[in-house]
Amino acid sequence: VPPQHPLAAKTRVDVTDTRGHRLILMGRKSAVRAATEAAFRRAGVHLDSFDEPESSSMAQAMAATGRGACILLDDPQFGLVSRPLSCDGEAVTIPLYGAWDPGHYARQEIRATMLNMRDWLQDGNPPAPAGLGNIPEI
């Protein structure tokens, strides 16, 4: 949201806090959209007034012009600020998986990339998804 948006004053935005605010949601095929809809259903909040752009950059551009609060994973652009979304006191998350063929010629590089991603997520960036903590040796 833009820094002057009422939701920007919160350190964490519960889905119930979004009542009365126009939202910008990712497309129906997005894992973020599925997690968002599940959290809203769990909280009994009806999603009735929202835009559905094709890209996260467009969602942020729309939010920057005051069209609503966007819910997505990307780092904020266009002067927006980001707040974690929660439902009933718990962060709304999506699973993140990494898999590769154990016989792949770049398996060590792929594994290193996955470990770097896990470490990045655990070092104060978005919450680390369940299951990413134990990446097996190849």
Side-chain angles (χ1 to χ4, degrees):
V1 292
Q4 66 275 15
H5 192 283
L7 295 175
K10 299 183 165 291
T11 56
R12 178 177 295 268
V13 176
D14 191 85
V15 294
T16 58
D17 297 331
T18 66
R19 285 187 175 117
H21 294 281
R22 185 158 181 84
L23 298 177
I24 303 165
L25 306 177
M26 297 312 302
R28 295 188 184 280
K29 295 179 182 177
S30 164
V32 173
R33 174 69 173 271
T36 299
E37 287 182 345
F40 276 70
R41 271 192 309 275
R42 209 168 44 249
V45 177
H46 182 68
L47 286 168
D48 57 355
S49 179
F50 62 88
D51 288 308
E52 194 173 1
E54 293 294 319
S55 73
S56 57
S57 292
M58 179 59 73
Q60 290 196 55
M62 292 169 72
T65 62
R67 298 266 311 264
C70 60
I71 300 176
L72 43 79
L73 289 177
D74 298 26
D75 288 332
Q77 302 179 62
F78 313 119
L80 299 176
V81 296
S82 177
R83 300 293 180 258
L85 183 66
S86 63
C87 179
D88 297 328
E90 294 185 22
V92 176
T93 62
I94 61 169
L96 181 61
Y97 302 96
W100 57 92
D101 182 341
H104 192 280
Y105 70 92
R107 66 185 170 278
Q108 295 302 330
E109 290 82 1
I110 296 169
R111 182 176 184 278
T113 299
M114 298 309 303
L115 290 170
N116 285 338
M117 183 183 299
R118 181 203 58 199
D119 294 345
W120 180 80
L121 288 168
Q122 290 175 342
D123 288 342
N125 289 294
L132 202 66
N134 298 317
I135 297 179
E137 294 290 331
I138 298 177

